[in-house]
Amino acid sequence: DDATLDKSRFKAQQYEGNKVKEMFRVPLLQQQIQRFTQAMDKTDEEDREDRMSTSGASVTNSDDEDVDESNMMVVDLPHIRHFRRIQAHWQAYDAYARVCMAMGTNQLLHTLSYMMLGTLVAENDVPFPAFSCVVIFTACAWVLARLDLYLSRRILAVAGFLLVLPPAIVTLSFSLHRGFSKVPQPMT
């Protein structure tokens, strides 16, 4: 397996003499297409042989063939067995990718919360819509944390409180700052 992976890997020097089409190729795509066509040809040949053997013995209904294929165990399908065999080598990368996606999404939602606070409270002086946006984005972050992490209800409640607390303090401080820094206009 390692030799196959090493053959599919390219280094920067190898790209210099290649065409653009070769540089942007999907790895192993040609091999997969060849294997797929071979497997389909093999399946077609087996189907023909089965039909020939059953046609002499008895006449079968096309619905019966569909029922027989649907009764086949999913675990025994070759592509499922192949996927499970390969997946064992990629579990660490899969877990790392999930953690990175969860953290990135969480940070994106917090960025949107603070952007709304800055735009709506600091510039437009409308704290209620800003805090409503913060609650929505924070609720999304909490739901994602709940789906990605297996925690007790108590810890999830504390996490929800801690997710809402900093933007709430920022909203309050922006509002108070705007209230105290307003210069009264002279009466004319």
Side-chain angles (χ1 to χ4, degrees), residues 113-114 117-118 121 131 164-176:
S113 295
Y114 286 109
L117 285 174
V121 176
F131 193 68
V164 172
L165 185 63
I169 291 172
V170 170
T171 304
L172 181 66
S173 65
F174 275 164
S175 298
L176 291 175

Side-chain angles (χ1 to χ4, degrees), residues 87-103 148-149:
Q87 186 184 23
H89 300 291
W90 290 91
Q91 284 179 347
Y93 300 106
D94 186 41
Y96 180 73
R98 287 174 188 251
V99 169
C100 289
M101 286 296 293
M103 289 177 62
D148 289 337
L149 304 172

Side-chain angles (χ1 to χ4, degrees), residues 11-166:
K11 296 183 179 163
Q13 295 171 344
Q14 294 170 323
Y15 280 109
E16 291 176 1
N18 288 342
K19 297 177 182 176
V20 175
K21 182 180 178 182
E22 187 64 28
M23 285 183 199
F24 294 109
R25 70 178 174 82
V26 178
L28 307 173
L29 181 65
Q30 294 172 348
Q31 294 171 356
Q32 295 296 328
I33 290 172
Q34 289 174 354
R35 289 181 187 165
F36 178 73
T37 54
Q38 289 172 354
M40 292 305 291
D41 292 341
K42 184 179 177 182
T43 304
D44 289 342
E45 290 174 9
E46 290 174 357
D47 286 343
R48 282 188 211 124
E49 290 173 4
D50 288 342
R51 287 183 191 147
M52 295 296 269
S53 64
T54 57
S55 65
S58 65
V59 177
T60 59
N61 188 0
S62 62
D63 294 335
D64 293 340
E65 290 176 7
D66 293 339
V67 171
D68 292 340
E69 290 176 5
S70 66
N71 287 337
M72 185 175 185
M73 295 291 293
V74 174
V75 179
D76 295 331
L77 294 172
H79 67 282
I80 299 294
R81 282 187 278 141
H82 183 67
F83 174 75
R84 288 187 177 176
R85 189 172 54 247
I86 291 174
Q87 186 184 23
H89 300 291
W90 290 91
Q91 284 179 347
Y93 300 106
D94 186 41
Y96 180 73
R98 287 174 188 251
V99 169
C100 289
M101 286 296 293
M103 289 177 62
T105 305
N106 188 5
Q107 293 301 309
L108 174 71
L109 291 169
H110 283 295
T111 301
L112 291 172
S113 295
Y114 286 109
M115 185 190 78
M116 288 294 119
L117 285 174
T119 303
L120 296 175
V121 176
E123 292 179 12
N124 298 330
D125 197 23
V126 286
F128 182 72
F131 193 68
S132 299
C133 290
V134 166
V135 168
I136 290 170
F137 290 134
T138 305
C140 291
W142 182 81
V143 167
L144 285 173
R146 184 168 186 237
L147 292 174
D148 289 337
L149 304 172
Y150 298 107
L151 301 172
S152 68
R153 290 188 186 271
R154 181 174 176 240
I155 292 175
L156 282 171
V158 170
F161 175 73
L162 291 175
L163 284 171
V164 172
L165 185 63

